[in-house]
Amino acid sequence: MLSFQPEFLYSSLPVRVRFGPGIRGETAAEVERLGCSRAVVLTTPGQAAKGKALAADIGKLAAGTVALAQMHTPVEVTQEALRAVEELGGDCLVALGGGSVIGLGKALSLRTGLPQIALPTTYAGSEATPVLGQTEAGRKTTLTDARVQPGVVLYDAELIRSLPVSVTVASALNAMAHAAEGLYARDRNPVSTLLAAEGLRAFRDALPVVCEKPDDLAARCETLYGAWLCGTVLGQVGMALHHKLCHVLGGSFGLPHAETHAVMLPYTIAFNAQAAGSHLEPLREVLGMSDIGQGLAEFADRVAAPRSLRDIGMKEDDLERAADLAMTAAYWNPRPLVRDEILTLLRIAWSGGKGVA
Ligand code: NAD
């Protein structure tokens, strides 16, 4: 495995991570450890009952629940949640959910300085990053700030067993995308490469088991472990074309976040494979195939992932505009970006076709 580098920079933020089925039962102890006594549990509206159950479990250290989180962290939702947290007199935030809830926790923490405890229920990985995406007037912007990284993360595989298989698969490929792009990041380091390789391995082994037996706790644990590793890579190193394209497709065309990552992954990594060269070796090893695009496509088929942009709601007429948007705001990619090549890539991904742009 090619993780050695003669020169690198490594830095990480202080985080306390606990793993274990049922570890959510330790939330009250973690609230107390932070010196807090009025925890506010955050969820999406759909998961409100689970938020109430967690607040009941936290007991006298819980101030209440706020079930307002929405995808892409709209600023007006954050403002409403801020008022609710203030009314409850909250002194720490407990985010129970996927990237949408954790995003709300980050946005509130940025504005209030309140400490965060995250209990992730998807594999998106936001809990492991100092990155916050917010949407205002239909425009999504991203900031990186150490203050938004949750200081405590409790990974409880029992919580993720209820994630429907189709969402599980898309979310897992979303996580794998962080690791895949982390392998060729310009600012990668030997630790991020090891984390990426192990995260990819964990999903390769455990995701097919979860697809067959969504209740299998050991396999759910291993996928959650993979999510932590892949999320940590996302938090440590810069992403490239794959993440940029998904950001454009989600932000400007309303495509679902995790599904977009799932569709694009085999195409974008194949697009970059030659230019990234040996940096992608750990992924080749995990897939057991030298043709990385084919290997990812076969894995995606095996777990019945969505395979075309058309199937997840992209209009063919919008592809040209998506290619234009992907060329705005310069960013680094191992393969130099040419607008018409991006358009070809998008066309292939739209139809779910074979081949490399
Ligand atoms: P999500 O949080 O929106 O969850 C998707 C749906 O699944 C929601 O309806 C949710 O209620 C439901 N759900 C979540 N967990 C469940 C469970 N265990 N059982 C049943 N249903 C459950 O989706 P996501 O993909 O986790 O997050 C996407 C958002 O997170 C996007 O806004 C994305 O930009 C952001 N994100 C940010 C970062 C970062 O580092 N800042 C990283 C990844 C994702």
Side-chain angles (χ1 to χ4, degrees), residues 44 46-47 50 70-73 97-101 106 121-126 129 131-133 140 159-164 167 171 174 178 234 257-258:
T44 55
Q47 305 286 315
K50 289 181 187 164
Q70 278 182 28
M71 182 86 84
H72 304 310
T73 326
S100 297
V101 180
K106 289 174 161 183
T121 65
T122 70
Y123 306 116
S126 179
T129 82
V131 180
L132 168 63
K140 188 168 176 180
L159 292 172
I160 210 158
R161 281 194 296 191
S162 57
L163 198 64
V167 189
S171 190
N174 180 187
H178 310 328
L234 176 69
H257 176 84

Side-chain angles (χ1 to χ4, degrees), residues 54-270:
L54 181 62
D57 196 41
I58 296 171
K60 63 180 183 353
L61 298 184
T65 61
V66 174
L68 291 170
Q70 278 182 28
M71 182 86 84
H72 304 310
T73 326
V75 168
E76 59 277 12
V77 171
T78 301
Q79 299 299 356
E80 193 184 345
L82 190 56
R83 286 191 289 278
V85 170
E86 280 167 0
E87 275 166 26
L88 289 167
D91 63 3
C92 77
L93 304 164
V94 176
L96 171 68
S100 297
V101 180
I102 292 166
L104 176 62
K106 289 174 161 183
L108 291 170
S109 185
L110 183 71
R111 288 160 175 81
T112 59
L114 295 183
Q116 305 168 66
I117 300 173
L119 291 90
T121 65
T122 70
Y123 306 116
S126 179
E127 69 283 355
T129 82
V131 180
L132 168 63
Q134 305 184 94
T135 314
E136 189 160 22
R139 216 177 128 249
K140 188 168 176 180
T141 54
T142 302
L143 61 85
T144 301
D145 188 319
R147 289 175 299 172
V148 305
Q149 170 130 16
V152 181
V153 186
L154 305 180
Y155 285 103
D156 186 338
E158 285 175 4
L159 292 172
I160 210 158
R161 281 194 296 191
S162 57
L163 198 64
V165 170
S166 62
V167 189
T168 293
V169 165
S171 190
L173 288 163
N174 180 187
M176 292 173 78
H178 310 328
E181 285 222 297
L183 289 173
Y184 52 58
R186 260 191 314 184
D187 56 352
R188 72 189 176 282
N189 61 68
V191 177
S192 66
T193 298
L194 289 168
L195 296 176
E198 173 66 352
L200 290 163
R201 185 217 51 79
F203 278 115
R204 177 202 65 194
D205 291 349
L207 185 60
V209 181
V210 167
C211 289
E212 267 190 31
K213 289 185 275 176
D215 259 353
D216 187 313
L217 201 53
R220 284 285 189 183
C221 273
E222 193 166 359
T223 49
L224 208 47
Y225 164 67
W228 171 50
L229 299 178
C230 295
T232 304
V233 173
L234 176 69
Q236 277 193 7
V237 305
M239 298 287 119
L241 177 68
H242 172 84
H243 281 74
K244 171 73 176 189
L245 277 180
C246 293
H247 187 93
V248 163
L249 293 168
S252 301
F253 302 96
L255 297 196
H257 176 84
E259 287 76 2
T260 307
H261 276 271
V263 168
M264 291 308 297
L265 187 64
Y267 298 111
T268 48
I269 303 301

